[in-house]
Amino acid sequence: MPSAVQHSTSTQKAGSQHSDFVAVTEKILKECSLLYSNKDNGLVKIAEQLGVKLSAPRKKVVILLIGNHSAGKSSFINWYINENVQKTGVAIETQGFVLVTSGKRRESLTGNATLHLYPHFHTLEKINGVVDFLSTEISTSKEKKFNFITFVDTPGLVDGDMQYPFDVNEAVHWLGGVADLIFVFFDPIGQALCKRTLSIVERLNIEYADKLHFYLTKADDAGNEADRQKVMMQIVQELCKRPGLNRTAFSMPAIFIPNIGKETSCMNQIDLVCDEIEKAININIQNTMNKLDRDCELLLEEAKSKLELNNENDAYNSANFAKAMCVGVLAGGTLLWFMSAISPVTRNDQYSTFLQSKKNDQQEVAKEYVFTVVFTGAVVQAVMWTLGYKPTLSRKEKKQIIAAQEYIKKTVKSKKELLYRDYLDLSVGNDDL
Ligand SMILES: Nc1nc2c(ncn2[C@@H]2O[C@H](COP(=O)(O)OP(=O)(O)O)[C@@H](O)[C@H]2O)c(=O)[nH]1
Ligand SMILES: [Mg+2]
């Protein structure tokens, strides 16, 4: 086959693999999310009924970009989504935190709107003043795997007199906790060894080492291969001086934005960044399905123990009721006997008087019976109160729990199996399953 034809066939194949990946991933994440958030019988609602706290899985992978001012963070985002949503330049352009995510139409959201879009970002409010410097850029871009990503662009980090209107170190650290990936960008000409960047990275490395990935950016500006190696060695040496950063190996692919940079013979390893993102998206899908699995088990377990407890409480209450009835009937019987013993009805010596005032006595008897019934009821209540009454589910609640159990066992679990098959089919192929 001529090489041009071969090339176009392989490009077509890669293109169709990409659209398959996007379609299947979108379907899995959307359906999983619906299983949680469905207003009528979503898992979040079922969990509420069972008194369990459950949150829907996150659909998008959060990627935090940090680094010195002018390291190329915003340019990377613009390149990835092929749209200039973020300002770039040598001046300090990004002053606050900007979330860049995909959506139906191009829009910019303020800090408070951002917190509504990302409820799990709410505790960021604890850091004074950050929300005023938080915003979201929604882009309609369908480039690469942008559909499944939220980038978090951060203010360029600098040392010295620069005053941030909030505790920037604290805010970056907090965002590191929420992020799935943290990309640290070092550029060869800028202040690659900015102390603020190093101390933030050191702190992040202690808790989130596995999320951290280091890149030498603007590699086209780093001179020839030997210069580039020298810059990289300098950065690594500086990183290793920090006790919290003493790793045995530092991987630091060298990247540059195609078309922005100078002509260079150096290799661009920007594809490795995209691979890392794709890996995180795959992990996110698997985590989402595993979470669905675990949450189903958790809810079934909770429903089962709620019904079991209800049966136990029912049995306990019934046994106590039987006991209370015995005591009540005995007490009531005794009272009736006692009242009868002194009543003119049974007293022979008063028999004639009884006949004379029959009507009055009938009323007396009726009163005695009513009193006995009330007394028996009171004794039953008192005994029940002494023995204790355990709360039980109403018929409606019980029915709801049984319906939820059925729904999870039949509908949710079988849907999850189908989604798993779709996912494996995508990665392994139908024939190998
Ligand atoms: N030569 C070169 N310049 C770049 C590259 N990436 C970004 N820049 C330039 O570096 C400057 C700062 O980039 P920017 O993305 O604003 O950095 P940020 O402060 O980290 O967001 C801009 O003028 C960009 O055009 C690159 O890969 N190569
Ligand atoms: Mg920027």
Side-chain angles (χ1 to χ4, degrees):
M1 195 188 289
S3 67
V5 177
Q6 217 166 24
H7 178 256
S8 82
T9 323
S10 66
T11 317
Q12 271 170 10
K13 209 174 158 196
S16 86
Q17 271 174 353
H18 172 81
S19 51
D20 281 355
F21 175 91
V22 171
V24 172
T25 309
E26 248 169 19
K27 181 181 162 201
I28 292 173
L29 293 174
K30 198 170 157 192
E31 294 208 3
C32 278
S33 166
L34 253 172
L35 287 173
Y36 277 85
S37 60
N38 193 326
K39 280 200 179 68
D40 299 326
N41 51 8
L43 296 182
V44 174
K45 190 173 174 209
I46 292 176
E48 250 169 46
Q49 283 165 354
L50 293 170
V52 183
K53 240 189 133 178
L54 203 73
S55 55
R58 274 214 315 243
K59 277 201 261 181
K60 292 186 180 182
V61 164
V62 175
I63 304 172
L64 178 69
L65 290 117
I66 58 169
N68 307 333
H69 145 63
S70 202
K73 301 178 290 293
S74 305
S75 303
F76 175 79
I77 296 174
N78 290 349
W79 168 78
Y80 193 89
I81 70 175
N82 196 18
E83 188 181 333
N84 286 340
V85 285
Q86 284 298 83
K87 271 194 187 166
T88 59
V90 261
I92 301 181
E93 296 287 3
T94 315
Q95 297 228 320
F97 295 98
V98 185
L99 279 67
V100 182
T101 197
S102 64
K104 281 191 217 140
R105 66 194 170 104
R106 177 79 184 95
E107 191 149 8
S108 304
L109 303 178
T110 61
N112 284 322
T114 301
L115 294 184
H116 273 94
L117 188 63
Y118 297 90
H120 53 288
F121 273 53
H122 256 283
T123 47
L124 190 61
E125 279 178 303
K126 282 188 198 150
I127 303 166
N128 256 343
V130 176
V131 179
D132 297 334
F133 289 86
L134 181 70
S135 59
T136 300
E137 294 298 333
I138 299 176
S139 153
T140 52
S141 161
K142 297 268 177 251
E143 281 292 308
K144 305 181 187 73
K145 306 286 156 43
F146 182 51
N147 255 358
F148 314 111
I149 302 168
T150 295
F151 285 113
V152 185
D153 199 2
T154 59
L157 299 172
V158 285
D159 287 331
D161 297 336
M162 170 77 182
Q163 290 285 320
Y164 293 89
F166 48 84
D167 188 341
V168 69
N169 293 34
E170 207 47 51
V172 172
H173 188 258
W174 186 93
L175 286 164
V178 208
D180 298 279
L181 287 174
I182 306 170
F183 290 164
V184 187
F185 282 3
F186 292 110
D187 65 310
I189 23 172
Q191 316 156 28
L193 309 173
C194 161
K195 288 198 179 54
R196 190 189 289 276
T197 307
L198 289 177
S199 56
I200 288 181
V201 173
E202 183 180 18
R203 195 166 158 214
L204 287 170
N205 189 56
I206 295 167
E207 279 178 71
Y208 313 119
D210 48 343
K211 297 182 188 179
L212 278 172
H213 298 272
F214 300 93
Y215 298 100
L216 176 74
T217 54
K218 299 181 167 181
D220 56 308
D221 254 350
N224 60 27
E225 193 57 44
D227 295 332
R228 195 197 272 199
Q229 287 302 326
K230 214 166 116 191
V231 173
M232 228 170 315
M233 285 291 287
Q234 270 176 358
I235 298 172
V236 170
Q237 265 173 12
E238 211 56 37
L239 289 172
C240 286
K241 274 189 205 157
R242 300 269 173 159
L245 264 171
N246 209 348
R247 292 180 170 203
T248 42
F250 267 103
S251 150
M252 198 180 292
I255 63 169
F256 57 90
I257 310 295
N259 307 328
I260 282 193
K262 301 169 183 156
E263 277 288 308
T264 176
S265 56
C266 292
M267 218 176 65
N268 191 357
Q269 294 178 292
I270 203 158
D271 283 349
L272 294 184
V273 191
C274 299
D275 291 348
E276 212 56 66
I277 294 177
E278 192 160 321
K279 240 192 270 171
I281 294 170
N282 280 324
I283 291 173
N284 186 39
I285 303 169
Q286 288 174 38
N287 284 346
T288 300
M289 286 193 286
N290 293 344
K291 178 172 156 56
L292 180 61
D293 219 6
R294 276 199 315 273
D295 287 344
C296 284
E297 291 310 319
L298 176 91
L299 294 180
L300 285 176
E301 200 55 48
E302 194 59 37
K304 192 175 155 217
S305 64
K306 269 234 152 55
L307 291 175
E308 275 173 5
L309 183 69
N310 186 57
N311 287 346
E312 272 172 33
N313 287 357
D314 244 353
Y316 179 87
N317 290 341
S318 304
N320 280 355
F321 186 68
K323 282 180 208 161
M325 279 302 278
C326 288
V327 177
V329 166
L330 210 66
T334 311
L335 178 74
L336 197 62
W337 173 79
F338 181 75
M339 285 193 297
S340 313
I342 58 159
S343 161
V345 181
T346 47
R347 263 185 266 158
N348 286 335
D349 56 335
Q350 297 283 322
Y351 189 63
S352 53
T353 326
F354 162 68
L355 286 173
Q356 283 163 12
S357 56
K358 198 179 171 196
K359 198 179 166 201
N360 285 349
D361 284 343
Q362 268 176 347
Q363 280 172 350
E364 266 314 297
V365 172
K367 272 188 195 164
E368 282 174 9
Y369 275 109
V370 170
F371 183 69
T372 308
V373 170
V374 172
F375 176 73
T376 307
V379 172
V380 171
Q381 282 290 329
V383 176
M384 282 296 282
W385 185 77
T386 320
L387 293 174
Y389 178 85
K390 292 192 175 174
T392 51
L393 299 167
S394 68
R395 280 169 83 93
K396 192 182 161 202
E397 284 172 328
K398 202 171 159 184
K399 246 173 112 176
Q400 265 178 350
I401 294 180
I402 294 171
Q405 268 182 328
E406 287 292 296
Y407 173 71
I408 294 173
K409 278 185 198 160
K410 292 194 178 141
T411 314
V412 182
K413 284 199 158 191
S414 57
K415 205 159 224 173
K416 191 214 74 197
E417 285 309 319
L418 287 176
L419 293 177
Y420 244 122
R421 271 203 95 76
D422 282 347
Y423 177 71
L424 292 175
D425 186 21
L426 187 70
S427 1
V428 189
N430 218 356
D431 303 339
D432 301 324
L433 283 175

